[in-house]
């Protein structure tokens, strides 16, 4: 009887853990498809802040619910609204006087004679593609004259983009100075006294900007922060939030009515057509909680900022019906398809869509953003605008009388980017378009028609993934995998190459904006090896294509394919020959292990052979070069990079064996085993192994060693990993194990790899628990950063990157290592 009780208890406990998935995150994924269509909540309460793109720019989703005449806000927060006084260059091309030599006299004064200065048009920058006036010198002084007519200003705000150090004067008075730079417009409220300095008639903004390093940029405007009008909208009480692999679910109390809001991005890797469909669901389930019937309607508003890079861009919007759907559509008037490249950018081509099944219970209309809440409160459900800046696509779902039986409706949010990436001169459509045979309306229709089926598939996958992670590493580990899943996927875009190959190209989010970086693919790989290795092929195909073309003349692998979204060839300024060659060989062998054959390797055998030869000559004791941890600087004699080269040689031997090339396999296996033995002798430092050969006071995470275990190469004896794990357990800080002995910062993806080297659950748990602490307690509220400080849990750099797919290494190890 006791055994039966324990069994029932265990089953019940396990089931309870499956239903209690992640509840805390640095930021919460809402709409996640690719690096351009990625919307998050940066606060624990969905209604505590404006929803944002992963870059931190506002992309407002607003949700209101009306219960018997009372209105509650449950999603988002009204974004700050600005009226232009003096336009910046994102709104209107403006001219000014400028000089790049130190001016004489009081150049800030409104009466200063600047006739000897040059005339230029903003923005001033060294970016030749975007400059209206090229600025390549260290310093620039500008004087912008503008005419002002008295108006009632609520709060005067400086709209400023500067790179680097800045001094700003208004009619001779200093209003702002800052040492540093911005990568976009910042809105800086000025003291009230400065709005009184504006004169009726002619005024002057004078600026000195110093470019101390890197790129240069200068643009300026003045805006008025619009005073928020009083309203009777109440705040819904959020009772809970739950995150699982494909969904984020909120529960609210609205005084007598329970509201459940579910964001679903069906990123299911077994079905690439569904996986690539750029449509998310926002589902609303309502029910009475007090035994009475209530009249309920839900209001959803999506800002046209989802379809712009900067708020100053003009958009056009329309309402129409198609195949039983009521649809709202918006996009920029200019439609600059694939005209911008870089990191801190949002898409400003293609069109966003808000759609819902058409019925008498649905109302849709378009307003300016500032009229969103008042239109719903005043029942003014009519479109009042078709084009302009800052539009709102509004949808009302009427539930009528709601009792104790739940009622559910949904809205679809979709995006058609027209063309996703330029690939060696050719603009590629996304995978879902199937060569132009499928329209976004057809995708919206399919999403609506298959709603119930898709939701069930997502629910089944959520439970399955969590169960796997729970079994592999425990609850904290499973929660980390949940946080990683959508983030990793949505840092990619799925397409098909002109040659017919799958392409799954990443962006180095808040790193340098590179596209298809090999050492970003490398840490991301475990997630895709576990669920669909063809996607990992899609992460390697572009690099193989480039390196096998006349455009690449080196005998080692390239670093990247360009700067997102232009994949026309490497743009990173320095090669990483050992790093990237090792990555490509190891991952090709991992694909063979996942697929059960070496067909993919066979297609690229000549290239893999060249890279293996390079590593055999240059990989064991690497020269002074960068590795994937390039932020830490150049390093010679890097022991962890040496392990990568050794494991890559072993992987090449494994591939040769799979292809029946027995003599080649024997040759390279013997070499790899020999180098592994030599490595142990050279890197031994008593109770640990060194960061660099010959420095016994140094140490580092040997995360590359995990592939020797996972691929079953067995080049290094288990004692090496055991020695390192024992040492690492003495070096941890509150928020994790430092990357190495040089600094206290770390990379969480590498910790998860390092932890997978442990030969017991206790040690694994001890290494990953501080990462869980970081993920749930970090004060940096952005999509999960993989580079953080282990002493205080603050982000050092990077966010929303695909590399958190590496968190799935323990699941992969559990599946592959028997």
């Amino acid at each position: 009887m006791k055994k039966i009780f324990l069994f029932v208890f265990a089953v019940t406990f396990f089931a309870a853990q499956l239903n209690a998935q992640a509840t805390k995150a640095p930021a919460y994924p809402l709409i996640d498809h690719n690096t351009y269509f990625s919307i998050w909540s940066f606060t624990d309460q969905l209604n505590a802040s404006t929803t944002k793109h992963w870059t931190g720019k506002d992309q407002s989703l607003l949700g209101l619910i009306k219960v018997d005449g009372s209105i509650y806000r449950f999603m988002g927060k009204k974004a700050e609204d600005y009226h232009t006084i003096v336009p910046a260059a994102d709104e209107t091309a403006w001219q000014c006087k400028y000089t790049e030599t130190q001016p004489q006299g009081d150049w800030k004064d409104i009466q200063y004679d600047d006739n000897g200065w040059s005339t230029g048009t903003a923005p001033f920058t060294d970016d030749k593609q975007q400059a209206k006036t090229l600025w390549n010198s260290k310093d620039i002084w500008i004087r912008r004259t503008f005419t002002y007519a008295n108006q009632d200003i609520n709060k005067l705000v400086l709209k400023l983009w500067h790179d680097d150090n800045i001094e700003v004067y208004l009619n001779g008075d200093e209003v702002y100075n800052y040492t540093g730079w911005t990568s976009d417009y910042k809105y800086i409220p000025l003291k009230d006294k400065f709005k009184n300095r504006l004169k009726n008639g002619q005024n002057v903004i004078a600026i000195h900007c110093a470019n101390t390093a890197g790129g240069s940029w200068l643009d300026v405007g003045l805006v008025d922060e619009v005073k928020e009008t009083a309203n009777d909208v109440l705040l819904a009480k959020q009772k809970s939030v739950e995150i699982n692999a494909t969904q984020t679910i909120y529960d609210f109390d609205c005084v007598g009515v329970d509201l459940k809001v579910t964001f679903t991005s069906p990123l299911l890797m077994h079905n690439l057509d569904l996986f690539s469909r750029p449509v998310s669901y926002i589902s609303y389930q309502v029910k009475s909680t007090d035994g009475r019937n209530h009249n309920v309607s839900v209001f959803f508003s999506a800002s046209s900022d989802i379809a712009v890079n900067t708020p100053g861009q003009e958009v056009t919007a329309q309402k129409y019906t198609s195949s039983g759907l009521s649809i709202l559509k918006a996009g920029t008037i200019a439609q600059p398809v694939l005209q911008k490249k870089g990191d801190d950018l949002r898409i400003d081509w293609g069109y966003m869509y808000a759609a819902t099944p058409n019925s008498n219970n649905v109302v849709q209309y378009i307003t300016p953003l500032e009229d969103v809440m008042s239109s719903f409160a005043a029942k003014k459900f009519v479109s009042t605008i078709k084009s302009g800046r800052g539009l709102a696509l509004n949808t009302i779902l009427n539930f009528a009388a709601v009792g104790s039986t739940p009622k559910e409706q949904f809205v679809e949010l979709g995006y058609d980017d027209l063309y996703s990436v330029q690939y060696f001169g050719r603009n590629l459509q996304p995978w879902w378009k199937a060569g132009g045979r499928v329209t976004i309306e057809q995708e919206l229709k399919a999403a609506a028609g298959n709603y119930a089926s898709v939701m069930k598939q997502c629910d089944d996958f959520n439970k399955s993934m969590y169960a796997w992670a729970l079994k592999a590493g425990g609850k904290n580990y499973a929660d980390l995998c949940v946080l990683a899943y959508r983030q990793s996927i949505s840092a990619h875009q799925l397409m098909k190459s002109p040659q017919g190959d799958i392409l799954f190209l990443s962006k180095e989010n808040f790193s340098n904006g590179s596209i298809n970086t090999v050492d970003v693919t490398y840490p991301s790989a475990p997630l895709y090896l576990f669920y669909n290795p063809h996607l990992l092929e899609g992460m390697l195909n572009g690099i193989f294509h480039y390196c096998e073309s006349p455009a690449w003349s080196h005998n080692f692998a390239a670093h990247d394919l360009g700067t997102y979204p232009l994949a026309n060839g490497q743009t990173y300024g320095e090669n990483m020959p050992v790093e990237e060659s090792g990555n490509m060989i190891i991952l090709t062998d991992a694909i063979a292990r996942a697929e059960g054959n070496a067909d993919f390797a066979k297609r690229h055998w000549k290239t893999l052979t060249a890279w293996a030869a390079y590593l055999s000559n240059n990989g064991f004791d690497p020269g002074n070069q960068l590795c994937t941890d390039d932020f830490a600087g150049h390093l010679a004699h890097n022991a962890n990079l040496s392990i990568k080269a050794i494991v890559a040689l072993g992987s090449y031997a494994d591939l040769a064996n799979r292809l029946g090339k027995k003599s080649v396999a024997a040759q390279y296996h013997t070499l790899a085993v020999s180098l592994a033995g030599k490595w142990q002798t050279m890197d031994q430092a008593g109770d640990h192994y060194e960061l660099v050969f010959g420095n016994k006071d140094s140490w580092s995470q040997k995360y590359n060693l995990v592939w020797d275990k996972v691929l079953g190469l067995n080049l290094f004896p288990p004692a090496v990993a055991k020695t390192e794990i024992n040492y690492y357990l003495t070096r941890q800080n509150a928020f994790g194990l430092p990357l190495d002995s040089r600094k206290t910062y770390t990379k969480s993806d590498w910790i998860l790899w390092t932890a997978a080297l442990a030969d017991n659950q206790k040690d694994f748990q001890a290494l990953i628990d501080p990462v869980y602490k970081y993920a749930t307690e970090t004060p940096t509220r952005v999509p999960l950063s993989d580079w953080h400080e282990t002493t205080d849990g603050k982000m050092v750099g990077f966010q929303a990157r695909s590399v958190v797919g590496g968190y799935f290494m323990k699941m992969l190890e559990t599946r592959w290592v028997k």
Side-chain angles (χ1 to χ4, degrees):
M1 188 69 179
K2 184 178 179 181
K3 290 182 179 179
I4 294 174
F5 171 78
L6 290 174
F7 174 76
V8 171
F9 174 80
V11 170
T12 304
F13 179 72
F14 186 74
Q17 285 190 304
L18 283 182
N19 290 325
Q21 299 199 14
T23 59
K24 187 73 164 63
Y28 297 80
L30 305 179
I31 309 293
D32 292 273
H33 291 275
N34 55 63
T35 188
Y36 286 136
F37 194 29
S38 178
I39 305 173
W40 299 67
S41 173
F42 281 40
T43 49
D44 295 325
Q45 305 291 315
L46 183 59
N47 54 14
S49 64
T50 305
T51 58
K52 301 176 184 294
H53 185 256
W54 69 261
T55 56
K57 299 300 185 294
D58 288 351
Q59 290 192 341
S60 176
L61 302 178
L62 189 70
L64 307 173
I65 183 171
K66 182 182 285 187
V67 180
D68 299 330
S70 295
I71 300 175
Y72 302 86
R73 175 168 54 84
F74 62 85
M75 174 167 59
K77 187 178 181 181
K78 190 174 183 296
E80 297 292 350
D81 186 28
Y82 301 100
H83 283 173
T84 299
I85 299 172
V86 181
D90 64 328
E91 296 183 45
T92 304
W94 57 268
Q95 289 190 330
C96 66
K97 293 291 188 176
Y98 77 96
T99 180
E100 295 175 81
T101 57
Q102 175 74 50
Q104 301 298 311
D106 189 6
W107 59 274
K108 308 176 291 292
D109 187 76
I110 193 170
Q111 302 297 333
Y112 182 80
D113 183 4
D114 55 22
N115 285 325
W117 292 19
S118 301
T119 299
T121 303
F124 296 81
T125 174
D126 63 344
D127 185 334
K128 293 180 180 179
Q129 286 190 318
Q130 300 190 64
K132 288 292 192 290
T133 301
L134 203 60
W135 170 30
N136 287 316
S137 64
K138 179 181 178 183
D139 292 276
I140 192 168
W141 290 259
I142 74 164
R143 286 174 53 84
R144 181 180 182 183
T145 301
F146 65 93
T147 301
Y148 171 75
N150 281 339
Q151 54 185 284
D152 184 17
I153 295 176
N154 172 49
K155 181 177 284 295
L156 186 64
V157 176
L158 185 67
K159 180 180 176 181
L160 186 63
W161 185 345
H162 64 94
D163 188 356
D164 296 288
N165 306 341
I166 193 87
E167 309 165 43
V168 183
Y169 301 84
L170 177 61
N171 292 337
D173 295 323
E174 184 179 79
V175 296
Y176 183 70
N177 70 76
Y178 184 77
T179 300
W181 54 275
T182 68
S183 59
D184 204 341
Y185 295 102
K186 300 297 180 186
Y187 291 81
I188 304 149
L190 302 181
K191 295 178 180 178
D192 282 344
K193 67 179 182 180
F194 292 122
K195 70 180 179 182
N196 298 323
R197 298 286 200 275
L198 288 170
K199 304 176 185 297
N200 200 24
Q202 193 174 83
N203 297 259
V204 173
I205 297 173
I207 295 178
H208 170 221
C209 191
N211 178 31
T212 58
S216 62
W217 195 288
L218 181 58
D219 187 19
V220 66
L222 289 174
V223 297
D224 178 18
E225 183 181 304
V226 178
K227 187 175 183 179
E228 188 170 350
T229 56
N231 59 66
D232 295 325
V233 176
L234 305 170
L235 207 59
K237 180 182 178 181
Q238 182 175 308
K239 297 192 295 182
S240 66
V241 58
E242 177 185 318
I243 313 161
N244 54 47
T246 64
Q247 296 175 315
T248 303
I249 305 167
Y250 295 89
D251 196 13
F252 297 92
D253 177 15
C254 304
V255 187
V257 169
D258 183 271
L259 169 66
K260 181 180 178 182
V261 183
T262 302
F263 296 86
T264 304
S265 296
L267 304 178
L268 303 176
M269 284 186 253
H270 71 279
N271 181 345
L272 293 185
D273 290 334
L274 175 59
F275 177 80
S276 66
R277 178 187 293 159
V279 179
S280 280
Y281 304 101
I282 307 174
S283 309
Y284 307 94
Q285 185 186 91
V286 293
K287 67 176 181 179
S288 172
T289 58
D290 60 6
R292 299 165 49 206
N293 283 349
H294 297 276
N295 191 41
V296 175
S297 59
V298 168
F299 173 86
F300 169 72
S301 180
S303 167
S304 64
D305 286 349
I306 293 169
V308 302
N309 180 43
T310 62
Q313 291 178 281
E314 292 197 343
V315 299
T316 181
Q318 67 179 104
K319 173 187 172 183
Y320 65 104
T321 60
S322 176
S323 302
L325 295 176
S326 182
I327 301 174
L328 295 171
K329 171 184 177 181
T332 58
I333 293 173
Q335 288 296 304
V337 178
L338 297 171
Q339 293 302 301
K340 295 181 179 69
K341 65 176 182 177
D343 196 356
D344 190 2
L345 294 174
R346 287 132 307 274
I347 194 167
D348 57 3
W349 68 91
Y351 298 91
M352 61 176 288
Y353 296 81
T356 192
N358 196 11
S359 72
N360 293 330
N361 294 328
V362 172
V363 177
Q364 288 193 307
Y365 61 104
I366 304 161
T367 64
L369 277 174
E370 60 262 32
D371 296 341
V372 166
M373 286 200 280
S374 61
S375 71
F376 182 59
K379 300 181 181 179
K380 296 180 179 178
F381 309 147
V382 293
S383 294
T384 58
I385 192 168
K386 292 183 178 179
S387 62
R389 300 183 181 94
L391 308 188
L393 308 187
N394 307 312
T395 301
I396 300 173
L397 305 175
N398 290 303
F399 289 84
V402 173
S404 58
T405 301
K407 289 185 176 182
E408 182 173 314
Q409 294 190 52
F410 65 89
V411 174
E412 300 171 345
L413 195 64
Y415 205 100
D416 180 0
D417 61 3
L418 306 179
Y419 291 93
S420 300
V421 159
Q422 186 174 99
Y423 184 74
F424 297 102
R426 292 185 60 173
N427 293 350
L428 300 186
Q429 293 179 325
W431 179 280
W432 64 267
K433 281 202 165 184
R437 297 191 303 274
V438 179
T439 66
I440 188 64
E441 286 82 5
Q442 289 171 315
E443 289 292 302
L444 292 167
K445 177 185 177 183
N450 297 324
Y451 173 75
S453 169
V454 170
M455 296 297 279
K456 184 180 186 307
Q457 290 179 62
C458 288
D459 185 57
D460 290 345
F461 176 77
N462 297 337
K463 291 175 180 176
S464 170
M465 194 214 83
Y466 200 75
W468 250 105
L470 200 60
K471 177 183 176 183
K475 181 167 180 10
N476 288 354
Y477 174 69
D479 285 359
L480 287 171
C481 289
V482 164
L483 299 186
Y485 186 82
R486 274 177 282 168
Q487 174 171 313
S488 180
I489 292 169
S490 62
H492 298 83
Q493 178 65 299
L494 183 65
M495 295 151 293
K496 188 174 288 187
S497 77
Q499 294 76 31
D501 293 323
I502 184 174
L503 294 175
F504 192 49
L505 305 184
S506 65
K507 178 179 179 180
E508 272 204 67
N509 291 343
F510 271 15
S511 177
N512 67 352
S514 288
I515 186 169
N516 203 201
T517 302
V518 177
D519 58 281
V520 167
T521 294
Y522 179 67
S524 306
L527 171 60
Y528 306 99
L529 286 167
F530 194 92
Y531 284 111
N532 190 340
H534 293 296
L535 287 171
L536 183 55
E537 288 185 22
M539 298 156 81
L540 303 189
N541 276 328
I543 297 294
F544 275 121
H545 174 76
Y546 179 43
C547 292
E548 291 166 356
S549 75
W552 186 255
S553 58
H554 302 288
N555 60 343
F556 50 78
H559 171 272
D560 62 80
L561 291 186
T563 302
Y564 204 95
L566 305 183
N568 294 322
Q570 180 172 313
T571 53
Y572 191 73
E574 185 171 346
N575 292 314
M576 298 184 190
V578 174
E579 173 71 37
E580 311 304 16
S581 299
N583 292 341
M584 291 294 290
I585 294 173
I586 291 169
L587 294 182
T588 301
D589 192 32
I591 289 171
R593 173 71 172 80
E595 296 179 348
N597 63 73
D599 292 350
F600 183 69
K602 186 176 183 180
R603 291 169 50 194
H604 306 289
W605 190 247
K606 182 179 178 181
T607 304
L608 291 166
T609 298
W611 293 342
Y614 179 86
L615 292 178
S616 67
N617 293 322
N618 302 282
F620 175 72
D621 188 5
N624 191 38
Q625 61 191 273
L626 294 174
C627 70
T628 183
D629 305 316
D630 52 354
F631 51 83
H634 293 75
L635 192 65
H637 317 298
N638 184 337
N640 188 44
L641 187 58
S642 176
I643 290 175
K644 179 172 290 184
I646 295 167
V647 172
L649 293 171
S651 294
Y652 178 77
D654 185 53
L655 289 168
N657 185 60
R658 288 175 182 272
L659 291 171
K661 302 177 184 295
K662 301 300 182 182
S663 61
V664 174
Q667 174 192 347
Y668 273 87
H669 180 73
T670 300
L671 174 61
V673 170
S674 171
L675 292 177
K678 184 179 179 182
W679 183 96
Q680 294 168 67
T681 301
M682 285 182 61
D683 205 49
Q684 235 297 322
D687 61 351
H688 69 281
Y689 292 90
E690 302 160 345
L691 163 67
V692 295
F693 295 135
N695 183 353
K696 295 188 181 301
D697 294 326
S698 68
W699 63 272
S700 64
Q701 291 188 47
K702 307 301 191 298
Y703 52 82
N704 288 318
L705 189 61
V706 75
W707 290 109
D708 186 45
K709 178 182 182 181
V710 170
L711 292 174
L713 302 175
N714 301 316
L715 305 172
F716 292 82
V720 173
K722 184 67 174 177
T723 298
E724 287 292 86
I725 292 295
N726 289 341
Y727 186 77
Y728 297 152
L729 292 172
T730 70
R731 290 289 173 172
Q732 293 207 99
N733 290 323
F735 294 94
L737 176 68
L739 181 65
D740 57 48
S741 52
R742 291 175 290 178
K743 300 281 186 179
T744 55
Y745 58 55
T746 195
K747 291 281 273 83
S748 58
D749 48 340
W750 296 148
I751 292 180
L752 271 289
W753 284 29
T754 296
L757 289 169
D759 61 5
N760 64 82
Q761 187 64 25
K762 180 182 176 182
D763 290 348
F764 173 80
Q765 205 74 45
L767 288 165
I768 67 105
D769 281 353
V771 179
Y772 176 80
K773 178 180 173 68
Y774 156 68
T776 56
E777 297 181 19
T778 176
T780 310
R781 305 309 301 270
V782 299
L784 190 60
S785 169
D786 54 285
W787 181 20
H788 72 270
E789 177 55 60
T790 62
T791 58
D792 59 16
K794 293 181 180 178
M795 178 181 82
V796 178
F798 310 153
Q799 68 191 53
R801 299 208 309 164
S802 69
V803 301
V804 293
Y807 287 11
F808 287 76
M809 181 60 86
K810 181 62 176 177
M811 286 175 61
L812 193 66
E813 184 258 354
T814 300
R815 172 181 281 178
W816 285 2
V817 180
K818 305 301 182 184

